[in-house]
Amino acid sequence: MNQWLLGLDIDPNTPEDIIKDYHVCSEHFTEDDYFEKMEFATRTMKRVLKDTAIPSIVKTGQSGSPAAAVSVPLCF
């Protein structure tokens, strides 16, 4: 989780009860962070986040303040 927090420019020492409800949307990841998986029930392809993916689409901002830290707001 520390890599995700650092990737989003959030202080890793932020208490878990504050960040537990944060959601990170797909706009924080690159296309390389996904792989395609077949959904057999619908016979469609689904993008799935790789286990190794770390959010990387951010801008420099004030650490510990997600709204100020990311170029795409975190989805709360």
Side-chain angles (χ1 to χ4, degrees), residues 10-74:
I10 299 172
D11 182 354
N13 296 314
T14 303
E16 188 173 331
D17 62 322
I18 292 175
I19 60 173
K20 69 178 182 175
D21 294 325
Y22 286 7
H23 295 87
V24 182
C25 67
S26 61
E27 294 182 30
H28 295 281
F29 297 93
T30 66
E31 287 299 317
D32 291 337
D33 290 327
Y34 294 93
F35 67 92
E36 289 191 342
K37 178 180 177 182
M38 173 63 84
E39 285 290 319
F40 292 104
T42 60
R43 294 189 174 199
T44 58
M45 297 300 285
K46 177 180 176 181
R47 282 188 340 152
V48 178
L49 199 58
K50 293 177 183 177
D51 290 340
T52 57
I54 297 173
S56 60
I57 300 177
V58 297
K59 69 176 183 178
T60 303
Q62 178 181 346
S63 291
S65 176
V70 296
S71 59
V72 178
L74 290 179

